Amino acid sequence: MPKVLYEKRDRIAYVTLNRPEAKNAIDPETDALLWQTWQDFRDDDAVDVAIVTGAGDAFCAGADLKTFIPPRIAALTARAVRDNVATGLGGLTRGLHRIYKPVIAAVNGWALAGGFETALACDIRIASERAMFGSFEVRRGFHHGDGGIARLVNTCGSGVALEMLLTGEPIDAQRALQCNLVSRVVPHDQLMPQAERMAQQILRNSQIAVRSAKETILDVIGRPLDDQLRIDALNGWSSPDPEETEALLGRFYDKTDAGRAGTHQTEL
């Protein structure tokens, strides 16, 4: 079986890490397959949203400590470190992080180390009640280097980041929800249905607007307020396709659209 399963159905790309015997740890082959997968997702006009999850009882235990990490440590020349800046773990963490199609993480179990970084690199995280999140790298002599620190601080704040990364202790799904690390926690057997429902909610919208919104969010993180407001205005008012927007407004005028204020339900 491939170490990464990749399926496409109804405009959704399903990406499943498939090394359950190793808690879906990312070895060099899996890393290469993930790069190929995310490049295909980026370039395929037939898919607009991705859902990533893990086979078995783990989301991802991070980079494989036997086959991935030792060669990297042994080759830590200044040139190798500099080149690695453009090539994060699995591509999504760094290198392919500017894909503007939304990516949903369906976190089914342990998201640890580089697996935690992979979950953080996704746009929306939905957690099974069994999910656990952690960073044990400090126990092994190093720390996150594929976006984990930056994204954890941006998402949860420095206090949560300091606690998790300095103690090396994990948090469960409910604590993750309290920390704003995940959007919601669901019963384990509802994880994929809920992720698919969220994907469908995204798909019913203008994909031009969705991708521009994601781009804008990535662009404003960490900038001064005046810069944020400028980017917000530039991207927001330059994003519409006039023909599409006129058609969608027509539905509003005819009262045939979903998501109106008042008593109207927003059904899929």
Side-chain angles (χ1 to χ4, degrees):
M1 289 287 287
K3 294 180 179 180
V4 176
L5 304 178
Y6 185 38
E7 303 175 65
K8 304 172 188 179
R9 299 193 305 272
D10 301 324
R11 297 170 60 198
I12 302 173
Y14 294 83
V15 181
T16 305
L17 294 161
N18 191 38
R19 296 188 70 213
E21 74 286 354
K23 304 296 184 186
N24 299 317
I26 299 174
D27 64 3
E29 181 182 355
T30 306
D31 180 58
L33 288 170
L34 284 170
W35 271 85
Q36 295 170 20
T37 297
W38 293 121
Q39 287 170 330
D40 183 272
F41 170 64
R42 177 194 63 193
D43 297 337
D44 189 348
D45 292 337
V47 286
D48 292 303
V49 181
I51 299 173
V52 58
T53 193
D57 61 358
F59 178 76
C60 176
D64 192 296
L65 295 179
K66 294 180 179 179
T67 63
F68 191 95
I69 294 297
R72 290 293 182 98
I73 297 297
L76 283 182
T77 65
R79 181 74 258 174
V81 170
R82 186 166 178 172
D83 290 344
N84 184 60
V85 168
T87 56
L89 183 70
L92 196 64
T93 63
R94 187 175 61 254
L96 297 174
H97 61 286
R98 279 282 178 170
I99 297 173
Y100 296 130
K101 298 177 181 179
V103 180
I104 300 169
V107 185
N108 55 305
W110 278 97
L112 182 63
F116 185 26
E117 291 181 297
T118 299
L120 282 166
C122 297
D123 303 308
I124 301 170
R125 287 163 293 283
I126 301 175
S128 157
E129 59 197 350
R130 302 178 188 176
M132 296 287 291
F133 301 86
S135 174
F136 292 175
E137 283 96 331
V138 290
R139 305 184 188 187
R140 322 294 182 211
F142 54 102
H143 62 69
H144 284 314
D146 288 304
I149 291 178
R151 291 190 173 99
L152 187 58
V153 170
N154 288 340
T155 303
C156 302
S158 60
V160 172
L162 285 163
E163 177 185 343
M164 291 187 68
L165 301 183
L166 303 189
T167 66
E169 291 293 332
I171 62 174
D172 63 16
Q174 287 299 327
R175 177 77 194 286
L177 183 63
Q178 294 167 357
C179 294
N180 200 41
L181 179 60
V182 300
S183 297
R184 62 190 65 186
V185 177
V186 300
H188 187 72
D189 62 359
Q190 288 298 304
L191 179 62
M192 287 306 293
Q194 288 295 320
E196 289 175 327
R197 176 174 174 79
M198 185 167 288
Q200 292 294 341
Q201 290 172 331
I202 293 170
L203 288 171
R204 72 184 170 197
N205 299 321
S206 161
Q207 295 309 296
I208 293 173
V210 164
R211 294 179 196 182
S212 180
K214 175 176 175 177
E215 179 182 5
T216 304
I217 290 166
L218 293 177
D219 284 349
V220 301
I221 292 172
R223 293 179 182 266
L225 177 60
D226 284 353
D227 290 350
Q228 291 178 326
L229 293 173
R230 177 180 173 80
I231 292 167
D232 187 296
L234 285 171
N235 289 6
W237 288 104
S238 65
S239 64
D241 173 85
E243 186 175 329
E244 179 191 50
T245 298
E246 286 177 9
L248 293 172
L249 286 173
R251 296 183 193 176
F252 174 81
Y253 302 144
D254 296 338
K255 298 185 178 181
T256 59
D257 63 324
R260 301 172 63 85
T263 60
H264 292 269
Q265 296 295 312
T266 309
E267 300 294 341
L268 287 174

